[in-house]
Amino acid sequence: MTTRPPDEAPLSGAQDDGDAPWVSVRPDSRTVKGPLIAAAPLIVIGALRMALMMDRGRGTSEGSGTTGFVVGLLAVAFPLVLVGVLTGLRWANAGILLEDGVLTVRDRWNRKVLHAPVHELTGVHTLRAPVDGPHGGRVVLTSRTRRPVLVDPRQWNPEALARLWRELALPAEDHGFVTWPVLRQRFPGIRPPWRHVHVAQFGLLAAVVTIAYIALVVNLPFFL
């Protein structure tokens, strides 16, 4: 295993807490915006097709007129609004802040998943997780008394994150490809996302919810 910090950060001893600079790392929403912008034409065409189908009907199924048209548009808009709300919550609440020799990591719900003095941090561990294909790179921050924290670099501003690693100057270790059970063995107490660890269960749950949502949307106009 190599011992080089991520983003080519120099390997040196931790700075004195009182001399540690102020570094703020904001969320990067490009991982959400990019796919949405690329899929925008297909989303618009799909929304219009669904709205027209619910308006006029198809085959032997009778349409529900203007109500069906509106519901068809809202059926596509609702998931997009939900994604926008979750992205907005992350942008408003999530952050990584190095201030006064203390590192704080907050999630989209404004919870502190890590709040530790720099002198308690023990390392920055890079690895490849069994998700996202070529984008499976992850970073684990460890400390003496706090729970290890899993960081997805794609979700954070890359320039600010690279500066954070340089300023922390913590010992770093590359673990290569690591499965979730091995990750939990090496970093006791770590909390990887449930949907990533239980891919089959998450896929089944997503399929059930999708089918139920489509059934609700198709039948909703007839109850209005």
Side-chain angles (χ1 to χ4, degrees):
M1 292 186 291
T2 62
T3 57
R4 190 172 184 81
D7 298 317
E8 302 299 322
L11 192 64
S12 61
Q15 296 178 352
D16 180 79
D17 290 352
D19 298 332
W22 183 87
V23 181
S24 177
V25 185
R26 299 294 302 150
D28 190 345
S29 58
R30 285 179 292 183
T31 55
V32 177
K33 287 182 179 179
L36 284 179
I37 293 175
L42 294 177
I43 293 175
V44 172
I45 293 173
L48 290 175
R49 285 177 60 87
M50 176 176 287
L52 290 173
M53 183 185 68
M54 295 183 67
D55 177 10
R56 302 171 183 175
R58 185 176 182 180
T60 58
S61 300
E62 183 180 354
S64 50
T66 303
T67 301
F69 185 85
V70 174
V71 170
L73 290 178
L74 293 178
V76 178
F78 176 74
L80 297 178
V81 171
L82 183 60
V83 171
V85 169
L86 293 176
T87 302
L89 283 174
R90 188 170 188 277
W91 180 259
N93 296 326
I96 304 176
L97 179 64
L98 174 61
E99 185 177 29
D100 296 332
V102 177
L103 183 67
T104 303
V105 182
R106 293 180 182 271
D107 63 10
R108 64 160 47 95
W109 310 112
N110 203 30
R111 296 177 301 191
K112 291 181 180 179
V113 295
L114 178 65
H115 184 69
V118 172
H119 66 78
E120 286 192 4
L121 301 177
T122 57
V124 176
H125 306 263
T126 58
L127 56 92
R128 288 184 294 109
V131 290
D132 298 336
H135 304 292
R138 296 293 187 272
V139 176
V140 177
L141 283 170
T142 55
S143 65
R144 294 188 182 90
T145 59
R146 270 69 171 182
R147 188 191 305 271
V149 173
L150 187 66
V151 176
D152 183 352
R154 291 188 306 153
Q155 297 183 354
W156 302 96
N157 180 278
E159 292 80 11
L161 192 61
R163 183 190 171 201
L164 176 68
W165 302 142
R166 289 195 298 269
E167 297 296 351
L168 288 176
L170 295 169
E173 186 175 9
D174 183 15
H175 295 254
F177 179 81
V178 177
T179 62
W180 297 122
V182 173
L183 179 70
R184 285 172 166 166
Q185 290 177 359
R186 293 185 184 179
F187 305 102
I190 197 169
R191 292 179 176 177
W194 181 87
R195 67 183 184 279
H196 290 166
V197 179
H198 304 281
V199 177
Q201 294 90 325
F202 176 75
L204 179 60
L205 178 62
V208 171
V209 171
T210 300
I211 293 172
Y213 181 70
I214 294 174
L216 173 64
V217 169
V218 170
N219 291 282
L220 184 60
F222 299 100
F223 296 99
L224 297 177

